[in-house]
Amino acid sequence: DGGITQSPKYLFRKEGQNVTLSCEQNLNHDAMYWYRQDPGQGLRLIYYSQIVNDFQKGDIAEGYSVSREKKESFPLTVTSAQKNPTAFYLCASSILQGMGNQPQHFGDGTRLSIL
Amino acid sequence: SQQGEEDPQALSIQEGENATMNCSYKTSINNLQWYRQNSGRGLVHLILIRSNEREKHSGRLRVTLDTSKKSSSLLITASRAADTASYFCATDRDDYKLSFGAGTTVTVRA
C-alpha cells in the first residue's frame, strides 16, 4: 500500500541535543512538507520541498533543518536552537499539478517531548 | 500564516444527528479542502472544492463554498461514533502550500 511513514512515533530530546525525525513516502509525490501542531491549534509549516535537492523555509523554520537527497525521503532535524520543540510533527506529500493545491497525504506523526 | 478559521471550536452531538461546521478565510482562493484528524493521528483528506463550484458531496459529507462571503461549510449527516475527530479546512497559498485553520473538534455521543 502506498503511503507516508514517519518514525519514531515518540521521541524524547535532552537539552542541547539535535534529533532527527524520519519521513518516507512511496507515493511518487514530488512535493513534501513538514508541519508542527501544538495542542488545540492548526498546522504551521516548517519547511517544504518541491524537488530533490531543493527546499524552502516555511513560516516557522528557525531551529529546524531539512534535506531532500532522495525523492522518497524528507528528514527533519530539530536542533538545539529550537527552544520549545515539544509538539506533534506531521509530514505530508502531494503531487504538483494544475491550478491550486492538490490534496496532501499525511503520515501519522512524531510526538516530540523534552526530557 | 493561518487564513482559514473554523467555527465552532467544538461541537457535541448525538449519534444520528447532523453536524455542521464553518470555515471563513480572508483572501481569494483557487480551491478549499477539508481534512479530518483522529486523536493522535495524521490528517486525512476528505474533500476538495474548487472556487467555481458551490456544492460538493462525498458519501455523508456535503461541502458548500460561497466565494462572495469567503466561507465554506462542512455538513456530516447521520453522524456515527467513528466521526468523532477534529476537522480542518485548508486554503491554498502561493507555491503549492496550504494554510490550515485551528479546527473544529466534533464529539459524537452514543
Side-chain angles (χ1 to χ4, degrees):
Chain A
D1 285 338
I4 297 185
T5 302
Q6 289 188 243
S7 63
K9 192 168 177 65
Y10 300 96
L11 188 58
F12 298 91
R13 196 193 87 169
K14 296 179 182 177
E15 291 288 338
Q17 185 182 44
N18 294 351
V19 293
T20 297
L21 285 61
S22 170
C23 177
E24 302 278 331
Q25 55 104 355
N26 60 3
L27 299 166
N28 199 33
H29 286 170
D30 288 305
M32 296 188 75
Y33 311 82
W34 273 106
Y35 294 95
R36 169 179 171 141
Q37 187 177 31
D38 292 284
Q41 297 190 29
L43 278 62
R44 291 186 289 168
L45 183 65
I46 304 172
Y47 269 97
Y48 66 105
S49 167
Q50 296 178 6
I51 195 169
V52 174
N53 292 323
D54 188 43
F55 47 83
Q56 287 79 43
K57 292 181 179 180
D59 303 310
I60 55 166
E62 187 174 347
Y64 300 97
S65 66
V66 293
S67 63
R68 186 90 186 272
E69 297 175 2
K70 299 186 298 181
K71 188 175 185 178
E72 303 79 22
S73 179
F74 192 39
L76 173 74
T77 296
V78 183
T79 75
S80 57
Q82 173 49 246
K83 296 307 178 189
N84 183 24
T86 297
F88 190 48
Y89 291 87
L90 288 161
C91 179
S93 70
S94 72
I95 61 172
L96 299 176
Q97 178 181 321
M99 288 288 290
N101 295 297
Q102 301 301 315
Q104 292 187 6
H105 296 252
F106 284 80
D108 268 342
T110 293
R111 190 166 300 279
L112 176 62
S113 303
I114 295 292
L115 278 179
Chain B
S1 62
Q2 186 169 311
Q3 174 168 222
E5 289 187 10
E6 290 91 346
D7 172 63
Q9 286 188 331
L11 186 57
S12 180
I13 56 173
Q14 201 74 30
E15 204 165 21
E17 293 180 339
N18 296 343
T20 300
M21 60 211 85
N22 304 296
C23 171
S24 59
Y25 57 93
K26 297 184 178 68
T27 60
S28 62
I29 58 172
N30 291 309
N31 61 49
L32 184 143
Q33 303 178 37
W34 284 93
Y35 289 80
R36 183 188 74 233
Q37 183 181 34
N38 292 91
S39 182
R41 304 292 299 273
L43 277 69
V44 174
H45 179 260
L46 295 175
I47 200 162
L48 180 152
I49 186 165
R50 303 198 184 283
S51 59
N52 61 356
E53 297 175 311
R54 291 296 167 258
E55 187 170 312
K56 204 160 182 181
H57 296 254
S58 177
R60 294 183 296 110
L61 305 180
R62 172 179 167 248
V63 168
T64 62
L65 180 64
D66 186 335
T67 53
S68 67
K69 294 181 180 178
K70 293 187 170 60
S71 69
S72 173
S73 68
L74 170 66
L75 167 68
I76 305 172
T77 60
S79 63
R80 305 167 182 170
D83 295 326
T84 293
S86 293
Y87 293 82
F88 296 88
C89 68
T91 52
D92 55 350
R93 296 166 58 180
D94 56 302
D95 207 18
Y96 297 100
K97 299 186 296 228
L98 288 177
S99 179
F100 288 86
T104 293
T105 298
V106 174
T107 302
V108 180
R109 306 186 307 274

